[in-house]
Amino acid sequence: MKRLLFVLFILAIVFNSCQTKTKVMPVDLTAAKNAVTKVLDSHWSAVKVKDADAVIALVTDDFLSCGTDSKEFWNKTDMYNTIKQMLADTSFKMDITIDKREIRIAKDGNSAIALEQMFMKPFSQKIPVRTIYHLVKINDIWLIDFTSTGFIPDNEDIGKLNKALE
């Protein structure tokens, strides 16, 4: 019995020592955060110059966007068509100022969640908007694979909004 336990012990040591050790490279969170910031800034720059192709170049092929309306669920093609139509309107001015931006990088450095809070003046000058992004790093390039945009009224204004919708 002792021999069997000894043989099993030796086999366990040999088996464990033969396992390949994956070396985890440390992630430069500051560089990742800067890269995500650059993607978000590029997005808004493209919107301001009304370049739908540049906007859509920043998203993955399986992109999903949830707009401010409950019926707005857009894939990459839907989003491109919507943005192209919106930006083609010469009277449309995307006047926004981002009041708050938060970026959280995953510990493995391959994905991030970002949020931006702002007023989108073409749509409302009284109700702030929050967009939440999920970004992924594919072949060292950060791309947006999900967005969700929603109006976020202050709590004290919800009663007024409910009354206005009666």
Side-chain angles (χ1 to χ4, degrees):
M1 185 66 163
K2 287 183 182 180
R3 284 186 184 171
L4 180 61
L5 287 175
F6 181 72
V7 170
L8 288 175
F9 177 72
I10 297 296
L11 284 174
I13 290 173
V14 168
F15 180 74
N16 194 29
S17 65
C18 291
Q19 298 297 316
T20 57
K21 309 283 191 276
T22 56
K23 188 173 183 179
V24 177
M25 299 299 289
V27 176
D28 184 346
L29 296 178
T30 302
K33 193 172 183 177
N34 290 340
V36 168
T37 298
K38 186 176 177 185
V39 171
L40 298 175
D41 289 345
S42 295
H43 164 78
W44 288 114
S45 294
V47 169
K48 284 184 179 182
V49 299
K50 297 187 173 198
D51 186 348
D53 293 326
V55 171
I56 216 67
L58 299 170
V59 304
T60 62
D61 289 336
D62 62 344
F63 172 75
L64 173 64
S65 180
C66 300
T68 58
D69 187 283
S70 63
K71 297 174 281 307
E72 293 175 341
F73 281 82
W74 299 313
N75 61 28
K76 185 174 184 172
T77 303
D78 298 333
M79 184 62 141
Y80 178 72
N81 293 334
T82 300
I83 288 179
K84 193 162 181 82
Q85 181 181 6
M86 180 179 70
L87 297 179
D89 181 354
T90 56
S91 67
F92 180 77
K93 303 277 189 265
M94 183 53 90
D95 183 14
I96 65 133
T97 301
I98 297 170
D99 300 315
K100 182 174 189 150
R101 179 184 275 170
E102 290 287 329
I103 297 171
R104 304 287 170 99
I105 305 295
K107 289 180 183 177
D108 67 1
N110 291 317
S111 65
I113 292 180
L115 74 81
E116 294 175 329
Q117 197 162 296
M118 68 207 91
F119 283 93
M120 291 183 142
K121 292 180 183 170
F123 304 107
S124 176
Q125 296 180 13
K126 298 188 184 256
I127 304 173
V129 172
R130 183 179 296 148
T131 299
I132 299 172
Y133 305 84
H134 184 259
L135 296 95
V136 292
K137 189 175 174 185
I138 302 171
N139 298 324
D140 288 331
I141 298 171
W142 285 94
L143 295 171
I144 303 167
D145 77 336
F146 174 79
T147 65
S148 179
T149 301
F151 289 99
I152 50 165
D154 292 330
N155 289 338
E156 59 267 16
D157 293 334
I158 292 175
K160 298 176 208 173
L161 290 169
N162 284 334
K163 195 156 208 62
L165 293 171
E166 288 179 357

